[in-house]
């Protein structure tokens, strides 16, 4: 079971081992770490790995992970650790000198240092309640995300291609993305100009443009259309 550290309303993964485990089960996330001396760095980012709300919910719903309240975990470590332990780094590591007031970063997960992880678990409902903003048609987008994950596709944000998601048939480090996925509502009108521009863009970057919309019928969870521009590109 992977422990997902929840910091305010974001899940940030600092453990390289956990990043590796997540990637093996198809969760890529987005690296957001940068060097303090290079704040404009934007090519090669490092840990932490930030997970999207869709990735977090999918991990919880499929039994791969639990959410841990990082502040509560830190508070208990601070209360139960002696100054010597804190300075030596045997239980926690101070980000700075021994008299620093920076955030304390645990070296280990709660269960690895004898703490009951269940005391720090955050429920799915509380995680959603902490979100300051929820995207429009969130449930429909999560349904589309889950559907794509059910066929072992790796999912990344699709904003730069004008879609909701970009879908890969395998690890993005090994495969080119195949689909630009656009989630639409059941009764939402799709303009002809959007079909043309979406299809042309997708074909130009060697992808298919996919429209996904949920259905009310129980036997079908969604309807899907793929669009490609013939004789173009």
């Amino acid at each position: 079971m992977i422990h997902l550290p929840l910091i305010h309303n974001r899940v940030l993964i600092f453990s390289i081992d956990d990043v590796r485990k997540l990637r093996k089960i198809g969760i890529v996330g987005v690296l957001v770490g940068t060097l303090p001396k290079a704040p404009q760095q934007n090519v090669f980012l490092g840990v932490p790995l930030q997970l999207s709300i869709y990735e977090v919910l999918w991990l919880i719903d499929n039994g791969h992970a639990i959410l841990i309240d990082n502040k509560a975990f830190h508070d208990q470590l601070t209360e139960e650790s002696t100054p010597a332990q804190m300075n030596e780094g045997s239980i926690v590591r101070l980000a700075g000198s021994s008299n620093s007031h920076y955030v304390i970063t645990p070296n280990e997960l709660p269960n690895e240092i004898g703490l009951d992880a269940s005391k720090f678990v955050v429920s799915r409902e509380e995680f959603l309640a902490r979100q300051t903003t929820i995207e429009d048609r969130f449930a429909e987008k999560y349904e589309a995300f889950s559907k794509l994950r059910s066929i072992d596709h790796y999912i990344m944000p699709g904003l730069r291609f004008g879609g909701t998601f970009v879908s890969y048939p395998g690890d993005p480090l090994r495969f080119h993305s195949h689909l630009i996925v656009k989630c639409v509502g059941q009764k939402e009108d799709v303009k002809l100009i959007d079909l043309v521009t979406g299809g042309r863009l997708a074909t130009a970057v060697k992808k298919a443009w996919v429209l996904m919309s949920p259905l009310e019928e129980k036997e079908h969870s969604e309807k899907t259309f793929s669009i490609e521009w013939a004789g173009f590109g």
Side-chain angles (χ1 to χ4, degrees), residues 4 11 51-61 65 67 127:
L4 304 178
V11 172
L51 301 186
S52 72
I53 186 172
Y54 305 105
E55 291 172 321
V56 172
L57 293 182
W58 184 85
L59 287 167
I60 296 172
D61 292 344
L67 282 167
F127 170 67

Side-chain angles (χ1 to χ4, degrees), residues 62-74:
N62 288 273
H64 294 295
I66 57 174
L67 282 167
I68 298 295
D69 188 325
N70 229 37
K71 182 179 184 302
F73 181 26
H74 285 185

Side-chain angles (χ1 to χ4, degrees), residues 35 44 69 85 113 120 123 128 139 145 149 175 213 215-216:
L35 298 174
F44 298 106
D69 188 325
Q85 288 176 319
I113 57 176
F120 312 109
S123 68
L128 289 173
F145 180 93
R149 284 296 306 125
F175 293 88
S213 178
L215 291 177
E216 296 180 354

Side-chain angles (χ1 to χ4, degrees), residues 98-171:
S98 59
N99 60 352
S100 171
H101 296 289
Y102 290 104
V103 174
I104 299 173
T105 304
N107 286 336
E108 309 292 346
L109 295 173
N111 60 329
E112 294 176 344
I113 57 176
L115 294 179
D116 183 6
S118 64
K119 295 189 297 184
F120 312 109
V121 172
V122 177
S123 68
R124 187 184 195 275
E125 292 71 23
E126 183 180 346
F127 170 67
L128 289 173
R130 289 194 187 189
Q131 304 306 307
T132 54
T133 58
I134 296 291
E135 294 183 22
D136 294 337
R137 298 194 304 274
F138 167 76
E140 297 167 4
K141 293 176 181 178
Y142 178 56
E143 186 176 332
F145 180 93
S146 299
K147 176 63 177 180
L148 293 167
R149 284 296 306 125
S150 71
I151 57 175
D152 294 329
H153 272 228
Y154 284 60
I155 315 300
M156 295 190 72
L159 182 61
R160 61 176 176 167
F161 293 111
T164 309
F165 305 114
V166 177
S167 184
Y168 298 73
D171 194 310

